Amino acid sequence: MTHLQRRIYGAVIRLHPAAFREEFGSEMAHDCEDALQARGFAALLGDAIVSLGRQWKARALAPREAEQPVTSHPFLAGQYFMVDQGRLTVFDLACASVLSAMLFFAVGFAANLPNQRAAANLQAVESSHDGGIDNARHNPSFAASNQGRREGAVNSSYSYGVTAAHGVVRLGHGPGFGGWSLRSGLRGGSPAGSLADALRQLTMISTVLWLTSFFLRRSPGIGKRVVLTALGLLGVAASVAFGSVPMPPVHAQILHATAPLPSFEVATVRPWQPPQMIPPPVPAPTGLPDVRPTGPPRRWDPGRPGGQRTDRVHVIGQVSILLQLAFNLPVGSERQIVGAPGWVMSEADRYEIQAKIDSSLFAAMQTMTPTQQREQVDLLEQSLLADRFKLKVHFETREQPAFALVVVKGGSKLTPAKPGETPQLSASANETTGTAVTLDQFVHSPLLRPEGRIVIDQTGLTGAYDFTIKGEDGADPASFFTLIQEQLGLKLVPAKAPVEVIVIDHIEKPSEN
Amino acid sequence: MKPDITDLLPLSPATLHVLLALTGGPLHGYGIMLEVARQSSGSYKIGPGTLYDNIKKLLKLGLVEESPADKFDPDSDAEPRRKYRLTKMGSSLLAAETERLTGVLREARRGLRLHEERQS
C-alpha cells in the first residue's frame, strides 16, 4: 500500500462517526492493508465510502437513548439526571455551523430592519436639507464656537444666539429648512412600513424556530446536540463579532451618565426670540477667551479642553443644540440625534437657559481637571433636560454616512511639527490652523465636521503636524473640500462608519418656570 | 427480555456471510473477509467497511462477541488483532435464517419444477 493510498483510506476512516472510528478504525486500516493485493485499492475505497454513508445515516436516524436518573443519596434522589451527551463529531459541527450561521444572519437581519428604515430616513434628510444647516456645518468657526460655551456665562450666548442674529452662523434658515419637516414625517415610519417590518421579523424568527424544531423532531439525539452546539457556535460568533473583534462606534464621544445625575441649584428655561436690534458687542471678561467668530481666532487645545470657570451656565439655542452640549457632541452633530420631533431641530423653538451650579458642587469642581469640569456641566444639563423637557433617550450604534480622510496621490503637504510645540488647533471665520496636531486629533476635533458627518482618519500618518487651511471670506462652504486637498494634500472621501447615536424616546416642550 | 430473533429475518447477504464465516471459530476481520470469499467461491466479497458495519450491528444485537485475546507473543511485532466469535443467539439466528432459506429453496425448486412441466 503506497503512502498516498494509506493517507486517502485513513482520511475516509477519519470521516466516520467518532464512536465507529474509535472502535473499528484501526482494524479497518489493517484489513485494508491485508486485502489490498486481492481486492485492489479502488474497490476497498469504494467500500469504505459506502460504509461512511451508512454509518452517518445510521447515526442520524438512531433513536435517542433513554436518560437514566442517577441512583443517589435519598435526599437528592430524583433531583439530578445524567445525560450521555456523547462526543461531537464533524457531522454535528457541520450541522451546527449551518444552523448557527442561519441563526446569526436571521437575528442580525431582523435586528437590522429598523436601522435600515432609520438609515433611509437619514438619507432622505441628507438629500433634503440643502440649505442653512449644511452651510453651518461647513463652517469651522461655527463648530469652534462650541468651545467655551459656558466659560463666560452671559458671553456664551454669542455661540448660539447672537451669532445667529449677527448672521455669521445661520441655522435652519432658507429653503432647506423644510427638510427637517420631512424627517419628522418619516421618522416614526408609516404604519404599513412598521407592519412590513414586523412581518419580516416574524418570518425570520419563524424560519429559525422551524429549522430548530426540524432538527429536534428529525432525530432527538442528534438534534439536541446540534442545537446546543449551534447555540454555542452562535455565542462564539457573536463574541467574535461584537467582542473580540469589536466594531466600536467611531467618535464614540457621547457622554453617558454612570451615576445619578447632579442638578443645578436653580435653573430657568424660557423661550427665546432673537432681539430686534443687534446689540453692541460685549467685551469678553478679563481672562476669558472671546468666542465670537468675528473676533480673534478661537483656540482649541486637543490635549487640554477648557473647563468651567464660573458657577453660571447660560445657553441659548434650539433644543438640538442643548442636546449636543449635554451629551458632549460637537455642534453640527444633528445626525447623531435620532427620533427627535421637528421642533427640537427648529430654530423657531429656541430656548434660553440660565442656571447656577450648586456652590458645594462648584467648589468640588475646582479640584477637577477641565475635562471633568466640562463633564460635570454636561451631566447637569442632562439632568435639566430630563427634568424640564422630560427627556428620555437610549443609545444605539448605527452605520451612518461619514468621510474618510486620505492622502491624495501626490502625497501630503503637511509639515512635521517642531519638537517642543504645544498641540493646538484654532479656527477663525476663514482660517483653521493646527500646531503639533496629529490627524487623529484633527478628525476628532469639532473643527472638522463636514456636512455634519464624522471623519475617519485613513491617512496612515501618525506624526504631529503643523498646518493652515486658508479660505476666502464668503467662500462656498463646499470649497472646504478643495482647500484641504490643495493646501494639505489630503482628501475627504465619502464613507460609512458605525456611529453612536442618541435615540430620543420621549421629549416635550418645557413647562413654565 | 430477549429480542425475538425472527424479527431480524431475513438477513442481508453480508450479515448472513459474516455469521456463516464465524461458524468455523473466532476470526479477525481479514479472516472473516477471506472466509466469506472462500464460502462463496469468490463470487461474494466484502470489504472492511461493509464488514465492520455488520460487526458493529451484530455486536450491538449480541449475535457476535469479541473473543478473548490470544496469548501475548513478545516476539511478534504485529499488533494483536481483535477476533470475533458467534454467540448462542447468533447461532440461533443463523439457524433460523438457514431454515428460512431452506424453505425458500424448497419452494423455489418446486416452483421451477412446475414451471418446467408447464413449459414441456
Side-chain angles (χ1 to χ4, degrees), chain B residues 11-60:
Chain B
L11 297 179
S12 68
T15 306
L16 172 64
H17 279 283
V18 170
L19 290 176
L20 197 55
L22 291 175
T23 53
L27 288 172
H28 56 60
Y30 184 55
I32 297 172
M33 289 163 61
L34 290 177
E35 182 63 12
V36 168
R38 190 195 65 77
Q39 287 172 350
S40 63
S41 305
S43 63
Y44 186 75
K45 294 176 183 171
I46 58 172
T50 305
L51 171 67
Y52 288 104
D53 276 346
N54 283 276
I55 292 284
K56 180 189 169 194
K57 191 168 60 184
L58 295 171
L59 282 169
K60 191 175 177 184

Side-chain angles (χ1 to χ4, degrees), chain A residues 76-98:
Chain A
L76 303 176
Q79 302 298 314
Y80 299 96
F81 294 87
M82 291 291 288
V83 178
D84 180 16
Q85 190 58 34
R87 295 181 59 177
L88 285 173
T89 64
V90 177
F91 182 72
D92 290 345
L93 285 170
C95 289
S97 300
V98 172

Side-chain angles (χ1 to χ4, degrees), chain A residues 16 82 106 112 162 169 173 194 208 215 261 284 309 336 342:
Chain A
H16 279 71
M82 291 291 288
N112 197 37
V162 179
V169 177
H173 286 317
S194 302
V208 171
F215 272 104
L261 292 170
R309 302 183 188 183
Q336 287 176 255

Side-chain angles (χ1 to χ4, degrees), chain B residues 52-87:
Chain B
Y52 288 104
D53 276 346
N54 283 276
I55 292 284
K56 180 189 169 194
K57 191 168 60 184
L58 295 171
L59 282 169
K60 191 175 177 184
L61 292 170
L63 301 173
V64 299
E65 62 187 4
E66 202 169 330
S67 177
D70 291 338
K71 195 174 177 183
F72 178 66
D73 180 5
D75 296 332
S76 172
D77 292 335
E79 194 178 328
R81 310 283 287 266
R82 292 164 70 188
K83 288 186 177 179
Y84 304 94
R85 67 182 181 192
L86 209 57
T87 63

Side-chain angles (χ1 to χ4, degrees), chain A residues 236-280:
Chain A
V236 172
S239 66
V240 167
F242 301 115
S244 308
V245 188
M247 290 194 303
V250 182
H251 293 238
Q253 73 277 59
I254 290 179
L255 178 64
H256 297 255
T258 54
L261 292 170
S263 298
F264 285 115
E265 181 181 335
V266 60
T268 60
V269 180
R270 58 170 66 94
W272 186 87
Q273 294 296 326
Q276 298 300 315
M277 300 290 292
I278 298 173

